[in-house]
Amino acid sequence: MHPQTSSSSIVHTGLAWHNPFHQLGSAFYTPLAPQPLGTPYWVGRSEAVADMLGIGCQQMQSNDLLQALAGNRSISGTQPLASVYSGHQFGQWAGQLGDGRAILLGEVKGLEVQLKGSGLTPYSRMGDGRAVLRSSIREFLCSEAMHGLGIPTTRALCVVGSDDTVWRETPETTAVVTRVAPSFVRFGHFEHFAARNQSEALKTLADYVIGRYYPDCLNGDMFNSQVYANFLQRVVERTAIMVAHWQSVGFCHGVMNTDNMSILGLTMDYGPFQFLDAYDPGHICNHTDRQGRYAFDQQPDIAHWNLYALAQALIPLIGEQSLALQALDTFKPLFTAKFEQLMSHKLGLPDAPAALIDDLLTLLAKNRVDYTIFWRRLNAAQGSANTEPVRDLFLDRDGFDAWMLRYSELATHISQGVDANLMHNSNPKFVLRNYLGEEAITAARNKDFSGVSKLLVLLGTPFDEHPGSETYAGFPPDWANQIEISCSS
Ligand code: AMP
Ligand code: MG
């Protein structure tokens, strides 16, 4: 039997909870408590996120908090709810989706706190409302890894595991991730109300998001078509910056449906994501994405496509189509400028010529060079006469030598030369490779959580050397490319 939530078991966190999303009104959600979870235990906890929320070390060890974040006890001051949204999945209109396995508890210090995997909601459709241990650990570690890399992302406070099982391809134990972000509103929230011609609700939502997160879009106190166009423009900017980061670090999201696109330009809804091992622009990380719609090199175009869907939803507010198109047209130049800046920094240069970057990426792809290791070795070769470790990564040595000559010549023409420090801080030593996650997950299934904790430390400061942790920065083993991750993971 699971413990039931009851008023006698309310947890007092001492945190100041607010519920502004709840105040939007019932058109936006269903009020609902999380479902209880059997035999909860801590799997991983982020001290950094606890700090952001003002949760002390002792409280992060407490059984009260464990039970609350498992969904077994309610938290004083929260007004839990599951929000409704719709969206385009794999390019098709999917209709109503919603928080099918997530519950928003409320806000602390301007941050929404959400439980993911917390049981059935009215939006669960065919699902069971649960998340398995594997996907929960992946989401937890990746959100913190992305933050460590300086990439806009939702965060994760902790993973709570359980011996309760659900059926996937085999029975798997379930878990709940506590996610944290200024807002979990998605493009799909806007699409939902636009598709239903609920223009009042659409406006209420837009005004809420603009007022709270994009106040610089306002013209004084007025909400007019220019304000909504400004808002779209700002979302275009943030999305372009987010995807430029993904492309520069070799991150493949895997399910860029419009319901997984954050209105704040945060990486969100970690599912079948993958950091590239060997550089392969056409890499498809989602096992169920047979057409490769969400292949690595498609991500910028897909983000642009998703922004069109958002713009379409905002047309009743923006009024003039030309204003929306103007905003959308800025996506490509913004993306390219940010991508080139990030890639230049990886080369230790203020701004490298696009051809130098393009030709390098072509070489990396042809030679199937490990993306993360390449950059770190290129960095190590600075100021050293020995370029062999980086050169050895290429079968086409002549091709590499020719490119390296162009790079070196360019650097000598810049007064300060290559900025080794900038390079060091732009090229991570540690990324969450699939196989590293799998090893930590396998151990966690046997209740050994040390791998999760270790990765949390390395990925939190991925540019640092972390002496003694070299094995986490090496080439993936042969079995790594047999790992299959799908949407349902
Ligand atoms: P995703 O592909 O994870 O972005 O999910 C798409 C939609 O399916 C969202 O509405 C999710 O809440 C819902 N969903 C995914 N997995 C489950 C599940 N196990 N139970 C209920 N709903 C789910
Ligand atoms: Mg989702």
Side-chain angles (χ1 to χ4, degrees):
M1 281 289 285
H2 293 150
Q4 295 300 310
T5 46
S6 73
S7 56
S8 64
S9 66
I10 288 178
V11 170
H12 296 274
T13 54
L15 305 172
W17 288 89
H18 299 277
N19 300 280
F21 194 89
H22 190 275
Q23 284 160 22
L24 284 176
S26 59
F28 298 89
Y29 58 83
T30 302
L32 187 73
Q35 287 183 339
L37 186 74
T39 57
Y41 45 83
W42 297 112
V43 171
R45 282 165 278 186
S46 162
E47 239 177 77
V49 179
D51 267 358
M52 282 164 48
L53 295 171
I55 303 176
C57 257
Q58 235 178 343
Q59 195 169 16
M60 275 312 285
Q61 312 285 333
S62 74
N63 187 52
D64 276 4
L65 194 67
L66 174 67
Q67 296 299 336
L69 298 179
N72 295 337
R73 294 178 63 184
S74 52
I75 299 177
S76 170
T78 62
Q79 290 181 293
L81 61 89
S83 79
V84 64
Y85 53 82
S86 295
H88 283 85
Q89 298 189 315
F90 291 90
Q92 307 291 328
W93 177 244
Q96 180 179 301
L97 302 163
D99 293 328
R101 50 172 170 173
I103 295 286
L104 175 64
L105 294 176
E107 258 189 52
V108 176
K109 296 193 170 187
L111 295 167
E112 290 188 349
V113 180
Q114 193 188 64
L115 304 183
K116 178 172 176 183
S118 52
L120 291 170
T121 79
Y123 315 112
S124 298
R125 298 176 298 146
M126 308 298 281
D128 51 21
R130 292 298 182 187
V132 298
L133 181 66
R134 183 196 205 193
S135 67
S136 304
I137 290 177
R138 281 170 54 82
E139 169 136 20
F140 172 66
L141 287 177
C142 201
S143 347
E144 293 310 287
M146 293 297 261
H147 176 72
L149 291 166
I151 302 178
T153 178
T154 63
R155 305 289 301 272
L157 174 67
C158 62
V159 178
V160 171
S162 164
D163 293 335
D164 287 358
T165 56
V166 286
W167 190 263
R168 292 294 183 262
E169 269 130 50
T170 54
E172 292 195 49
T173 59
T174 61
V176 174
V177 189
T178 302
R179 304 198 289 193
V180 172
S183 171
F184 285 95
V185 170
R186 303 141 192 272
F187 291 9
H189 279 97
F190 292 90
E191 290 179 276
H192 180 76
F193 297 105
R196 296 176 173 216
N197 294 317
Q198 295 177 356
S199 42
E200 268 311 301
L202 180 69
K203 181 169 159 34
T204 302
L205 181 66
D207 293 358
Y208 170 78
V209 170
I210 294 168
R212 291 210 59 197
Y213 308 106
Y214 291 96
D216 53 328
C217 292
L218 293 169
N219 291 332
D221 290 339
M222 296 287 290
F223 276 95
N224 55 25
S225 50
Q226 188 59 53
V227 169
Y228 301 111
N230 294 346
F231 167 50
L232 177 62
Q233 174 64 52
R234 299 282 286 112
V235 181
V236 168
E237 282 164 25
R238 288 205 195 178
T239 306
I241 288 170
M242 172 186 78
V243 179
H245 274 287
W246 293 359
Q247 300 310 111
S248 76
V249 81
F251 175 80
C252 196
H253 181 283
V255 210
M256 290 177 69
N257 294 334
T258 58
D259 55 298
N260 290 339
M261 297 293 293
S262 151
I263 202 68
L264 301 186
L266 306 173
T267 313
M268 81 183 301
D269 274 17
Y270 292 90
F273 70 83
Q274 189 179 358
F275 284 88
L276 298 182
D277 291 318
Y279 186 70
D280 171 12
H283 184 72
I284 303 166
C285 64
N286 182 349
H287 188 56
T288 36
D289 181 14
R290 305 251 173 237
Q291 309 292 321
R293 179 179 172 83
Y294 299 139
F296 177 69
D297 61 358
Q298 298 303 302
Q299 297 188 124
D301 283 349
I302 292 291
H304 200 190
W305 192 97
N306 289 342
L307 286 161
Y308 266 87
L310 174 67
Q312 189 71 40
L314 293 176
I315 283 294
L317 301 173
I318 297 176
E320 279 178 60
Q321 208 160 6
S322 61
L323 281 178
L325 287 173
Q326 245 174 45
L328 290 169
D329 282 348
T330 64
F331 177 82
K332 279 194 177 145
L334 283 168
F335 165 79
T336 304
K338 185 68 189 177
F339 178 68
E340 286 178 358
Q341 182 202 47
L342 291 167
M343 296 305 285
S344 298
H345 290 178
K346 288 174 86 65
L347 290 166
L349 301 172
D351 54 354
L356 187 76
I357 298 167
D358 289 349
D359 294 347
L360 171 63
L361 292 177
T362 305
L363 259 183
L364 292 176
K366 264 199 197 146
N367 290 267
R368 299 213 147 236
V369 176
D370 187 279
Y371 191 66
T372 306
I373 291 176
F374 164 75
W375 287 106
R376 202 70 183 184
R377 288 195 185 178
L378 186 69
N379 185 191
Q382 297 312 310
S384 139
N386 183 12
T387 57
E388 285 311 307
V390 61
R391 189 171 184 263
D392 282 350
L393 296 169
F394 295 79
L395 266 178
D396 174 9
R397 303 279 158 90
D398 292 345
F400 171 75
D401 289 343
W403 180 86
M404 194 66 182
L405 191 64
R406 282 165 67 199
Y407 174 42
S408 312
E409 278 180 358
L410 184 77
T412 55
H413 288 112
I414 296 172
S415 56
Q416 70 275 33
V418 167
D419 182 341
N421 209 25
L422 175 66
M423 216 174 162
H424 181 270
N425 294 323
S426 307
N427 294 304
K429 181 167 180 177
F430 304 96
V431 293
L432 181 55
R433 293 179 191 266
N434 260 353
Y435 92 92
L436 291 172
E438 288 303 302
E439 287 180 341
I441 290 158
T442 304
R445 286 191 176 124
N446 296 317
K447 306 259 166 90
D448 170 3
F449 308 121
S450 57
V452 173
S453 309
K454 173 78 181 176
L455 285 177
L456 190 64
V457 170
L458 298 179
L459 299 170
T461 48
F463 302 102
D464 292 356
E465 283 299 335
H466 294 280
S469 300
E470 267 58 42
T471 50
Y472 293 86
F475 290 99
D478 287 343
W479 58 266
N481 58 18
Q482 267 129 51
I483 300 169
E484 287 182 357
I485 314 251
S486 64
C487 284
S488 61
S489 299

